[in-house]
Amino acid sequence: MKPVTLQTLRDLKQRGERFSCLTCYDASFAAAMERAEVEVILIGDSLGMVVQGHGSTLPVTNQDMAYHTAAVARANKTALIMADLPFMSYATLPDALANAAELVRAGAHLVKLEGGAWLAETVTQLARGGIPACVHMGLTPQSVNVFGGYRVQGRSEQAAEQLLADARAVADAGAALLLLECVPTSLARRVHEEISIPVIGIGAGLDCDGQVLVLHDMLGVHSGKTARFVKNFLQAGDGSIEGAFRQFVAEVKDGRYPAPEHAFE
């Protein structure tokens, strides 16, 4: 596989072809994902739960993220590496610029932030500094205490229109990607149709350009509650971890995953 860039993802969107994304936190899994031709590797702040054993992503620091990003980057030559800016690391513009720069120096090609239209200036300034951004919308885990739990977002007409407006605002500000988590399929479809940049989904139905899952979830080894959108690809594949990655890539590309039972209406 040739090295994947943002232009690669834009070209895939233009051709109507889907791409795969998995979270990863270390060199060994990164190497296996590269062999399986996973296009995008996300160093997610989900590491707080699946690696560190916390009850949420909130305790994760930027230093944690830089450490794991560097570990993944050392084993990767082809996948596009995206790294999460963790909780409160981008509350101010100077913080966002400094912490994003730390992750890029560690090996990330772009950073991911959770929020809406209020991120527009930050997205623009990051892009001016040479750091592309993916904006994560819908269920944003860093706001779990605001939401009162992990709940599907955008179900009311007002909430859906607000999410669409936010998506337009950050795209206009220069966001490179959008990520939609736990939103109704119909809303994800509208965002995909109205926004020109690639859209990655998780619990957002089939009408997205890419799909992402947490590594431990798709291997069936996470001890927490299994979300509706999760599928065990270790069972669906040949029984090997690399086979699970290849199965995920294949099912995303041919539209078998996510199936209707993995989505919300």
Side-chain angles (χ1 to χ4, degrees):
M1 186 171 68
K2 294 180 179 180
V4 177
T5 67
L6 285 171
Q7 187 59 51
T8 306
L9 303 188
R10 288 191 285 264
D11 290 343
L12 290 171
K13 181 181 179 73
Q14 285 295 111
R15 298 198 299 267
E17 299 178 23
R18 300 180 178 92
F19 60 87
S20 58
C21 177
L22 287 172
T23 69
C24 187
Y25 318 99
D26 65 32
S28 297
F29 280 106
M33 288 180 189
E34 183 173 64
R35 292 192 297 269
E37 300 189 351
V38 175
E39 285 97 343
V40 182
I41 291 176
L42 168 63
I43 297 85
D45 57 2
S46 49
L47 69 87
M49 303 168 79
V50 300
V51 175
Q52 297 175 335
H54 296 299
S56 73
T57 64
L58 304 186
V60 177
T61 67
N62 211 61
Q63 289 70 36
D64 293 334
M65 295 305 305
Y67 173 89
H68 288 276
T69 298
V72 168
R74 293 185 193 106
N76 174 74
K77 294 182 179 64
T78 59
L80 186 72
I81 298 178
M82 179 162 60
D84 273 336
L85 281 168
F87 178 65
M88 290 300 291
S89 66
Y90 49 98
T92 68
L93 184 56
D95 284 347
L97 295 173
N99 289 318
E102 182 178 12
L103 298 186
V104 171
R105 292 189 186 101
H109 299 120
L110 72 160
V111 297
K112 182 163 72 64
L113 311 83
E114 297 182 5
W118 62 272
L119 286 173
E121 182 183 3
T122 300
V123 167
T124 298
Q125 293 302 324
L126 285 170
R128 286 176 178 171
I131 303 176
C134 172
V135 179
H136 183 156
M137 295 182 175
L139 173 57
T140 48
Q142 292 174 17
S143 299
V144 62
N145 291 327
V146 175
F147 294 148
Y150 298 96
R151 303 172 183 273
V152 178
Q153 301 297 305
R155 276 188 155 152
S156 71
E157 182 177 352
Q158 180 179 0
E161 292 300 328
Q162 183 62 60
L163 189 145
L164 276 166
D166 287 348
R168 295 187 194 102
V170 297
D172 290 344
L177 301 174
L178 288 179
L179 190 149
L180 300 179
E181 180 171 357
C182 288
V183 301
T185 300
S186 57
L187 176 55
R189 185 182 305 118
R190 290 181 65 189
V191 174
H192 175 262
E193 291 173 349
E194 295 185 25
I195 304 301
S196 62
I197 60 178
V199 179
I200 301 173
I202 177 169
L206 188 60
D207 296 306
C208 294
D209 302 294
Q211 299 290 334
V212 61
L213 280 177
V214 171
L215 165 66
H216 296 68
D217 289 343
M218 62 90 68
L219 293 178
V221 297
H222 184 211
S223 59
K225 180 181 178 181
T226 300
R228 177 173 179 167
F229 52 77
V230 171
K231 178 175 179 178
N232 187 327
F233 284 90
L234 191 61
Q235 293 178 344
D238 62 9
S240 71
I241 289 174
E242 190 171 324
F245 298 159
R246 292 185 183 278
Q247 187 72 23
F248 173 72
V249 172
E251 292 195 21
V252 167
K253 288 187 173 299
D254 65 20
R256 282 178 287 164
Y257 177 83
E261 62 265 25
H262 302 121
F264 302 95
E265 296 297 341

